[in-house]
Amino acid sequence: DAGVIQSPRHEVTEMGQEVTLRCKPISGHDYLFWYRQTMMRGLELLIYFNNNVPIDDSGMPEDRFSAKMPNASFSTLKIQPSEPRDSAVYFCASRGRGDTQYFGPGTRLTVL
Amino acid sequence: GDSVTQMEGPVTLSEEACLTINCTYTATGYPSLFWYVQYPGEGLQLLLKATKADDKGSNKGFEATYRKETTSFHLEKGSVQVSDSAVYFCALTAYGNKLVFGAGTILRVKS
């Protein structure tokens, strides 16, 4: 079975540009999570969805960040405009029955 | 709020040495506890888990026991290999949604 798929794996962009990260969860999983990993703050939950509906977005750092889940097999995390402090690794994870979350390989974002 | 505290690294060991990485937690209710491993350049992989007190999770020679009385979930392995070099994260979830992670412990195993 395919695991969680994320694209792109690496993204380099300039400050002020829009960035879109993509995630395909494991088929049949009804929870989807977006995390950010930085050296300073470790792993932080940004937002999670249940059945495509955002449940808790309290971890989204500011209005420049937005996330959508238009259907059960696709989610996006958008940053507009991007800033150098947004540089991090962004992980998507999904969960089905039970409490184990399965992580994708991550997107390493560098904002110059 | 809920929190996880891990021993600071990096931990450097010789091959075949014993490993213990300490993890303690603070949580309301009865959380599930996890160890995730992150190899260089990769995402997080579930290593093992335990869902209630006195449960022992085990995988690939690693094990950890859910100790409610000491609020701990220490990771142990009897004989480490170079291929175990990675970052290890202890985590908890109270309701299966928000995972709270420790800071991570870097393990380096020398041949």
Side-chain angles (χ1 to χ4, degrees), chain A residues 53-85:
Chain A
V53 176
I55 302 300
D56 183 351
D57 66 354
S58 59
M60 295 286 263
E62 47 196 278
D63 292 346
R64 297 185 297 106
F65 286 69
S66 62
K68 294 182 179 180
M69 192 165 186
N71 57 62
S73 59
F74 184 65
S75 176
T76 59
L77 178 67
K78 186 175 294 186
I79 308 172
Q80 166 62 19
S82 58
E83 297 182 3
R85 59 194 169 116

Side-chain angles (χ1 to χ4, degrees), chain A residues 22-42:
Chain A
R22 298 173 176 79
C23 175
K24 176 179 170 56
I26 293 171
S27 177
H29 283 189
D30 52 1
Y31 285 86
L32 184 138
F33 305 82
W34 283 100
Y35 290 87
R36 179 172 68 175
Q37 184 180 37
T38 61
M39 290 294 292
M40 291 298 295
R41 300 175 65 90

